[in-house]
């Protein structure tokens, strides 16, 4: 049953059609890889996210606020997500990040399945897209891994296991 489940999962997320869609999203239809260097602060409710945005609007340091308030694993790193692009994060986060210029943060909280997010973009970059055939294996691995991580997270939450705790938290 386990092998059959995994086989069907892989066939679905790593199909030719799914990989082409992922390639087009990631490499802008073959034009190039678009990425932003982003930071985020994840909190449990909208009101907390609005307070973070207010503090940022008043000149507070994003990295300090991330370390103090974020419930995401990246909190200790100032909310640093590194360079990310389409397919790396939930769609609402990617859309928000790509709507910002370097140095800007979201003016409204962004809701995801994990909580409420405030995003800041540090930089942008783009790289030439590799041919689809050269990128196929990496795209398949990323698709399978991200699908399995999302599935395991959902199963942990259904089982009542804490998936939001930080390592090294107080």
């Amino acid at each position: 049953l386990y092998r059959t489940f995994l086989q069907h999962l892989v066939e679905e997320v790593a199909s030719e059609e799914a990989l082409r869609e992922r390639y087009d999203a990631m490499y802008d239809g073959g034009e190039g890889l678009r990425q932003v260097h982003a930071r985020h602060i994840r909190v449990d409710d909208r009101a907390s996210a609005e307070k973070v945005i207010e503090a940022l609007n008043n000149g507070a340091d994003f990295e300090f606020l991330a370390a103090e308030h974020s419930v995401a694993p990246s909190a200790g790193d100032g909310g640093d997500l590194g360079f990310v692009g389409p397919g790396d994060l939930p769609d609402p986060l990617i859309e928000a990040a790509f709507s910002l210029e370097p140095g800007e943060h979201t003016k409204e909280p962004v809701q995801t399945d994990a909580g409420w997010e405030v995003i800041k973009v540090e930089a942008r970059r783009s790289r030439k897209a590799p041919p689809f055939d050269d990128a196929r294996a990496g795209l398949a691995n990323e698709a399978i891994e991200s699908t399995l991580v999302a599935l395991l997270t959902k199963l942990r939450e259904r089982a009542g296991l804490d998936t939001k705790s930080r390592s090294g938290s107080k």
Side-chain angles (χ1 to χ4, degrees):
L1 185 61
Y2 169 75
R3 286 185 190 155
T4 302
F5 171 76
L6 285 180
Q7 182 179 356
H8 286 289
L9 180 76
V10 168
E11 287 173 359
E12 182 180 325
V13 300
S15 69
E16 182 77 11
E17 182 180 338
L19 293 180
R20 287 219 178 260
E21 287 177 16
R22 190 172 184 88
Y23 177 86
D24 287 346
M26 184 176 285
Y27 294 109
D28 198 20
E31 295 296 315
L33 176 65
R34 299 171 301 122
Q35 294 181 311
V36 292
H37 180 193
R39 293 182 182 277
H40 76 135
I41 299 170
R42 179 184 303 147
V43 293
D44 294 325
D45 57 75
R46 183 180 179 94
S48 297
E50 288 172 343
K51 288 179 183 175
V52 167
I53 291 170
E54 183 179 345
L56 289 169
N57 290 340
N58 290 325
D61 181 67
F62 195 97
E63 293 178 48
F64 173 79
L65 291 175
E68 288 295 310
H69 300 287
S70 184
V71 297
S74 62
D77 294 327
D80 194 0
L81 295 170
F83 277 95
V84 294
D88 293 333
L89 298 172
D91 288 342
L93 289 182
I94 288 295
E95 290 169 14
F98 276 93
S99 72
L100 300 170
E101 293 298 320
E104 291 182 339
H105 63 83
T106 51
K107 301 303 180 198
E108 292 292 323
V110 178
Q111 186 175 17
T112 68
D113 290 340
W116 290 86
E117 310 265 355
V118 179
I119 307 294
K120 179 182 179 186
V121 169
E122 299 286 350
R124 292 178 169 270
R125 73 179 180 190
S126 63
R127 296 187 313 220
K128 185 177 177 186
F132 175 75
D133 288 337
D134 292 351
R136 181 190 314 263
L139 291 168
N141 288 337
E142 290 169 7
I144 292 165
E145 181 179 346
S146 65
T147 301
L148 288 174
V149 167
L151 177 62
L152 289 173
T153 300
K154 187 180 287 187
L155 291 173
R156 283 185 187 127
E157 287 171 355
R158 282 187 186 165
L161 300 173
D162 182 12
T163 60
K164 294 182 183 179
S165 65
R166 297 183 277 184
S167 60
S169 61
K170 299 174 187 174

